[in-house]
Every structure is written in C-alpha cells, then in structure tokens.
Amino acid sequence: MSAAEDGQRFDYVHHLQLDKLLTAMRPVSGHPEEHLFVTVHHALEIWFKHILFDLGRIVTLLDADDLHQANWLMRRIGEILKLAEAHWTVLETMSAADFAEFRGQLTGASGLQSRQFRQVEVMIGLCETAGEAYCARTEKLWPGLIAEYPRTLRGAFFDVYKRHGLSLLDVYRDRWTHHALFQLAENAFEIDRRFQSWRHNHILMVRRQIGIRARGTGGTFFKDYLAATTAYYFFPELFEFRNDLTVAAGGEVMPGEA
Ligand code: HEM
C-alpha cells in the first residue's frame, strides 16, 4: 500500500519508517557507552540485510549470464564489507574499562546469535567449503537455514565458467578478451578477502575489549573459536590458482592446501 493510499503524507520520515528504526534502541545497562555498542551492532545488521538482498539479485543475474550487472553489484558487496570493517575502529573508542562496566548485563547476548550473519555466510557458499562441523553447527542452531539457500553465490559463480568452457587460469591469462569473467573472479576474490579481513579485525578488537583469553558472552573461548573461523574461505579456488600462476612463471610453491 502506498503512503497516499495509507492516508499518510509521503515524506522522509514515512519513507524510511524512522518511527520503527529509531525506537529500536533499548539499552539494558544505563551505561552511556552501551549506546555506541548497540548502534554499531544495528548498523552491521542493517548492512547484513542489504547484502542478503543484493546476493539474491546477483545469483539471478549470474544464472542469466548477465555478467555486467552482476559484476556491478558484486563490487558493491566488497565495498560494503570494507565499510563494515571500518566500524571496528569506531567501536574501539569505547574503552575496555567502560565495556567491563556494562558487559555483565549483556548476559548471554553475543554476535554468535546473529542469524543474518550466518545467512550471509551460507548464501555466499560457506557450507560448501568450511566442512561438516560448520554445517552441522549451523543446522543445529538454526534448523532449516541451510536449506533456504539451495543456490549459493559460489554455485552460480562456478557455473558461469563451466558454461563458458573456461578455467580460471584461461581467464586470467587472457583477461582482456574475457574481461567480464576476469572481473567476476576479482570481485569474488575481493568479497572473500574483505570478509576475512572483517573476521581478523573483529578478533583484534575483541582482544582489546575483553583480553586474549576471555570467554565471550556467547560462551566460547574466542581465542580458539574465532581463530578457527579465520581459516574459512568462500572461494578457496581463487586463492589456490594464484599458486598456479606463480608456478607457471617459474616460481616455487610449497605443497599442501590454503
Ligand atoms: C565490544 C565489542 C565486541 C566484543 C567484545 C565481541 C566479542 C565476540 C566474541 C567473544 C565472540 C565469540 C562468541 C562468544 O563467545 O561470544 C564473538 C562472535 C561474533 N561477533 Fe562479536 N564482539 C563484539 C562486537 C561485535 C559486533 C559489533 C558485531 C556485529 C554484528 C559482532 C558480530 C559477531 C559475530 C557475527 C560473531 C560470530 C562469528 C562467527 O561465528 O564466525 N561482534 N564476538
């Protein structure tokens, strides 16, 4: 229903539903620094929602072989992830001493419980690369979440190269001829590497706020739990085949996998 049909004047407040958005701040501690803590979480959840929205569009575009539009949106996701990461330094302006003063009142609340974060991971394709334990843990915490994304970005991405009958190495070697396919791989690489960077910098921020050996409000000793997540790759192939480029150029690569 449009604003006019709704009998309301269409304006900035109505369009953005600011009455809903700006009443979502519910601090539990009375500590003034909790405001920033909640704001940063809200901002990231809003971006996760937008990433999910654009991922759906990208998968459809890739399946239709509309590489130009898909590339445009893929680049945007990389930029959003860069922006997401920039929140860590803002959050670090809340001192560890301040956080310690209200952290106890967050009881069991933790980013670990962000369903949207897990949706983003699964929709890009993490369940296909992170191993059984990751998928089992996700399924246990959010039954049915994985089944919501039968078509992942990863699946749609590799099907494009199959349809074109080209390997990543072919595309990189002849990148100006197959420019859209080259750009697609670079954009996917960028999403992967930005996500990893977000994870690494989240860990550095957590160390600063609660110490290296502390237990998180979600119940994990993050030193082990979060460190394990830094080994996740959405597109390990895009990292792996760079070794082939090095070998082809006469360089040396140690045996094993990423
Ligand atoms: C003072 C700030 C923060 C601290 C101390 C912190 C701490 C932690 C810790 C210790 C964990 C491991 C799980 C646990 O035991 O709780 C975790 C996980 C997580 N946090 Fe944060 N966090 C902070 C801010 C944020 C923000 C602003 C977000 C944005 C949404 C966020 C998103 C996440 C996510 C998504 C996970 C799960 C990661 C995964 O499973 O791969 N965190 N956090």
Side-chain angles (χ1 to χ4, degrees):
M1 191 189 295
S2 75
E5 286 161 351
D6 204 10
Q8 292 196 35
R9 202 164 63 87
F10 186 78
D11 63 7
Y12 182 84
V13 174
H14 185 84
H15 185 208
L16 303 183
Q17 294 287 292
L18 291 183
D19 51 342
K20 294 197 184 82
L21 189 69
L22 300 179
T23 50
M25 172 67 69
R26 300 257 173 82
V28 293
S29 70
H31 195 291
E33 289 297 284
E34 192 190 342
H35 198 282
L36 177 73
F37 182 82
V38 174
T39 298
V40 172
H41 281 86
H42 275 164
L44 284 165
E45 286 292 340
I46 288 175
W47 281 120
F48 294 158
K49 188 170 167 68
H50 188 81
I51 290 173
L52 286 167
F53 180 74
D54 273 352
L55 280 174
R57 297 169 71 197
I58 294 168
V59 167
T60 305
L61 289 164
L62 289 178
D63 285 344
D65 223 40
D66 189 339
L67 302 187
H68 296 305
Q69 269 206 61
N71 268 328
W72 188 262
L73 295 181
M74 295 264 286
R75 194 172 73 82
R76 177 187 295 164
I77 297 209
E79 291 297 331
I80 294 172
L81 290 171
K82 220 191 287 183
L83 181 64
E85 195 182 330
H87 285 83
W88 299 142
T89 55
V90 178
L91 195 52
E92 283 176 356
T93 65
M94 170 187 78
S95 77
D98 280 306
F99 188 46
E101 283 168 10
F102 69 87
R103 174 174 189 262
Q105 289 171 70
L106 303 178
T107 56
S110 162
L112 197 60
Q113 294 142 9
S114 169
R115 190 179 199 275
Q116 288 204 112
F117 179 80
R118 214 58 71 192
Q119 283 174 279
V120 170
E121 283 186 336
V122 169
M123 196 172 182
I124 298 178
L126 200 57
C127 218
E128 292 151 31
T129 58
E132 236 343 277
Y134 169 83
C135 302
R137 197 172 61 230
T138 302
E139 187 56 32
K140 190 167 172 228
L141 278 171
W142 291 281
L145 187 153
I146 295 170
E148 282 171 30
Y149 302 103
R151 188 73 174 143
T152 62
L153 176 65
R154 201 185 130 77
F157 171 87
F158 282 111
D159 281 352
V160 169
Y161 295 87
K162 266 191 223 137
R163 275 198 306 271
H164 286 256
L166 292 164
S167 71
L168 288 169
L169 205 54
D170 297 332
V171 168
Y172 272 69
R173 284 201 173 125
D174 212 355
R175 57 197 167 283
W176 308 122
T177 308
H178 307 298
H179 192 252
L181 292 169
F182 169 62
Q183 198 71 63
L184 186 65
E186 288 289 288
N187 284 333
F189 182 88
E190 195 59 17
I191 289 175
D192 211 338
R193 113 166 187 63
R194 286 284 160 211
F195 218 98
Q196 289 178 31
S197 193
W198 187 93
R199 292 187 201 276
H200 279 284
N201 283 305
H202 174 248
I203 292 176
L204 295 179
M205 183 273 303
V206 177
R207 282 184 190 164
R208 179 194 175 107
Q209 302 297 11
I210 62 174
I212 289 179
R213 287 175 286 109
R215 194 192 280 280
T217 44
T220 75
F221 282 114
F222 79 89
K223 181 175 180 286
D224 296 331
Y225 174 71
L226 290 178
T229 69
T230 63
Y232 293 160
Y233 289 82
F234 295 113
F235 301 95
E237 298 84 346
L238 290 175
F239 290 78
E240 195 50 42
F241 97 96
R242 281 164 159 77
N243 294 310
D244 301 339
L245 288 176
T246 300
V247 171
E252 198 182 346
V253 168
M254 63 191 283
E257 285 180 7

